[in-house]
Amino acid sequence: MKLARTVEAVRQAVRDARDGGARHVGLVPTMGALHRGHYSLIDAAGRGCDFVVVSIFVNPTQFGPGEDYQEYPRSWQADCAGCESRGVDVLFAPSVEEMYPEGFATTVHVAGLTEGLCGRSRPGHFDGVCTIVSKLFNAVGPDVAFFGAKDYQQAVVVRRMVADLNMPVRIELCPTVREADGLALSSRNQRLSPAERAQAPALFESLRLARELVAGGQRAAAEVVAEIRACLERRAPLGRIDYVEIVHPDTLRAVEEIDGAVLVAVAVRFASARLIDNMLVDPSAPAD
Ligand code: PAF
């Protein structure tokens, strides 16, 4: 595995790979502290591509003031070993100065899709994400980029950006990986206290409840939201609900009547970490 610290180095590595016959270059953009969720993206890239680049960059511009940029978990040695053992070809780990040199003045903004859900509670977050993801795409030039469904809004926003800016890359959305108790894997989970960790599966439980209610015939989104909120308040009293929303999976606009597939999305703030989760719920799907 090659380690690239600069845009020029990663470009050269990908150029060499293409010159050597690589036809499908895959990129897995990450902020490190890799877990099984990231590795499932890397494995998907390995299956679909003949050259795999993983980026590790804790992107300061997507953290708001007072958010956890400094405290964001970092595990460089373990990440390197994990990537190496999975056959990653290039690990791209630039410095902040490399990505945001003196005089940097550009922001990529996707309108509309970024206004609700996490965009509402984290103003500017998606500008930071779109800016860094554009830069990573320009540096690596991947044919396919892999994103996890836990950050569903992020993937929808990035797809919009890619379409609007004619970026020649396909966005692959991979399923959320969960702990045995349902908690969606996230680098931030390791920051939870034992008591918070015990309550964190409530997010997934509340989403399962939503799915059951819809399967049982409930079509009023407000009723489902109220039940989710009650479940979270009961099962995760250490958390503060940030949002519970039921939205159209493509437009991310709130729906009132569940008459087709919807995205049910929740965010809960614990003292040590803010957690998000979501589930696609389709009223026409058979109950399992
Ligand atoms: O999902 C993440 O880890 C980040 O938002 C990303 C896509 C790597 C951009 O910094």
Coordinates of all heavy atoms in Angstrom, one line a residue, residues 133 137 143-147 154-156 158-163 169-173:
V133 N -15.3 17.0 -0.5 CA -15.5 15.8 -1.4 C -15.2 16.2 -2.9 O -14.6 15.4 -3.6 CB -17.0 15.3 -1.3 CG1 -17.3 14.3 -2.4 CG2 -17.1 14.7 0.1
F137 N -12.4 14.3 -5.1 CA -12.7 13.8 -6.4 C -11.7 14.4 -7.4 O -11.3 13.7 -8.3 CB -14.2 14.2 -6.8 CG -15.2 13.4 -6.1 CD1 -16.6 13.6 -6.3 CD2 -14.9 12.3 -5.2 CE1 -17.6 12.9 -5.7 CE2 -15.9 11.6 -4.6 CZ -17.2 11.9 -4.8
D143 N -13.6 6.6 -10.5 CA -14.8 6.3 -11.3 C -16.0 6.1 -10.5 O -17.1 6.3 -10.9 CB -14.5 5.0 -12.1 CG -13.3 5.2 -13.1 OD1 -13.5 5.8 -14.1 OD2 -12.2 4.7 -12.7
V144 N -15.7 5.5 -9.3 CA -16.8 5.3 -8.3 C -16.4 5.7 -6.9 O -15.2 5.6 -6.6 CB -17.1 3.7 -8.2 CG1 -18.5 3.5 -7.5 CG2 -17.0 3.0 -9.5
A145 N -17.3 6.3 -6.2 CA -17.0 6.7 -4.8 C -18.0 6.0 -3.9 O -19.2 6.0 -4.2 CB -17.0 8.2 -4.6
F146 N -17.6 5.6 -2.7 CA -18.4 4.7 -1.8 C -18.8 5.5 -0.6 O -17.9 6.0 0.1 CB -17.7 3.4 -1.5 CG -17.5 2.6 -2.7 CD1 -16.4 2.9 -3.6 CD2 -18.3 1.5 -3.0 CE1 -16.2 2.1 -4.7 CE2 -18.1 0.8 -4.2 CZ -17.1 1.1 -5.0
F147 N -20.1 5.6 -0.3 CA -20.6 6.3 0.9 C -21.6 5.4 1.6 O -22.3 4.5 1.0 CB -21.4 7.6 0.5 CG -20.5 8.6 -0.1 CD1 -20.0 8.6 -1.4 CD2 -20.0 9.7 0.7 CE1 -19.2 9.6 -1.9 CE2 -19.2 10.7 0.2 CZ -18.8 10.6 -1.1
Q154 N -26.0 13.0 3.4 CA -24.7 13.3 2.7 C -24.6 12.7 1.3 O -24.2 13.4 0.4 CB -23.6 12.8 3.6 CG -22.2 12.8 3.0 CD -21.1 12.5 4.0 OE1 -20.7 13.4 4.6 NE2 -20.7 11.2 4.1
A155 N -25.1 11.5 1.2 CA -25.0 10.8 -0.1 C -25.9 11.5 -1.1 O -25.5 11.6 -2.3 CB -25.3 9.3 0.1
V156 N -27.1 11.8 -0.7 CA -28.0 12.5 -1.6 C -27.5 13.8 -2.1 O -27.6 14.2 -3.2 CB -29.4 12.7 -0.9 CG1 -30.4 13.5 -1.8 CG2 -30.1 11.3 -0.7
V158 N -24.3 14.8 -2.1 CA -23.1 14.5 -3.0 C -23.6 14.1 -4.4 O -23.0 14.6 -5.4 CB -22.1 13.5 -2.3 CG1 -21.1 13.1 -3.3 CG2 -21.5 14.1 -1.1
R159 N -24.6 13.3 -4.5 CA -25.1 12.9 -5.8 C -25.6 14.1 -6.6 O -25.4 14.2 -7.8 CB -26.3 11.9 -5.6 CG -25.8 10.5 -5.5 CD -27.0 9.5 -5.8 NE -26.4 8.1 -5.8 CZ -27.0 7.1 -5.1 NH1 -28.1 7.3 -4.5 NH2 -26.4 6.0 -5.2
R160 N -26.3 15.0 -5.9 CA -26.8 16.2 -6.5 C -25.6 17.0 -7.1 O -25.6 17.5 -8.2 CB -27.6 17.0 -5.5 CG -28.2 18.3 -5.9 CD -29.5 18.1 -6.7 NE -29.2 18.1 -8.2 CZ -30.0 17.5 -9.1 NH1 -31.0 16.8 -8.8 NH2 -29.7 17.6 -10.3
M161 N -24.6 17.2 -6.2 CA -23.4 18.0 -6.6 C -22.7 17.4 -7.8 O -22.4 18.1 -8.8 CB -22.4 18.0 -5.4 CG -21.1 18.6 -5.7 SD -20.0 18.5 -4.3 CE -19.4 16.8 -4.6
V162 N -22.6 16.1 -7.8 CA -21.9 15.3 -8.9 C -22.7 15.5 -10.2 O -22.1 15.8 -11.2 CB -21.8 13.9 -8.5 CG1 -21.6 13.0 -9.7 CG2 -20.7 13.7 -7.5
A163 N -24.1 15.4 -10.1 CA -24.9 15.6 -11.3 C -24.8 17.1 -11.8 O -24.6 17.3 -13.0 CB -26.3 15.2 -11.0
V169 N -18.2 10.7 -11.9 CA -18.0 9.7 -10.9 C -19.4 9.2 -10.4 O -20.3 10.0 -10.4 CB -17.2 10.3 -9.6 CG1 -17.9 11.6 -9.1 CG2 -17.1 9.3 -8.5
R170 N -19.4 7.9 -10.2 CA -20.7 7.3 -9.8 C -20.7 7.2 -8.2 O -19.6 6.8 -7.7 CB -20.8 5.9 -10.4 CG -22.1 5.2 -10.1 CD -22.3 4.0 -11.1 NE -21.3 3.0 -11.1 CZ -21.1 2.1 -10.1 NH1 -22.0 2.0 -9.2 NH2 -20.1 1.2 -10.2
I171 N -21.8 7.5 -7.6 CA -21.8 7.4 -6.1 C -22.5 6.1 -5.7 O -23.7 5.9 -6.1 CB -22.6 8.7 -5.5 CG1 -21.9 10.0 -6.0 CG2 -22.6 8.6 -4.0 CD1 -20.5 10.1 -5.7
E172 N -21.8 5.3 -5.0 CA -22.4 4.0 -4.6 C -22.8 4.2 -3.1 O -22.0 4.5 -2.3 CB -21.3 3.0 -4.7 CG -21.8 1.6 -4.5 CD -22.2 0.9 -5.8 OE1 -21.9 1.4 -6.9 OE2 -22.8 -0.2 -5.7
L173 N -24.0 3.8 -2.8 CA -24.5 3.9 -1.4 C -24.6 2.5 -0.8 O -25.2 1.6 -1.4 CB -26.0 4.5 -1.4 CG -26.6 4.9 -0.1 CD1 -25.8 5.9 0.6 CD2 -28.0 5.4 -0.3

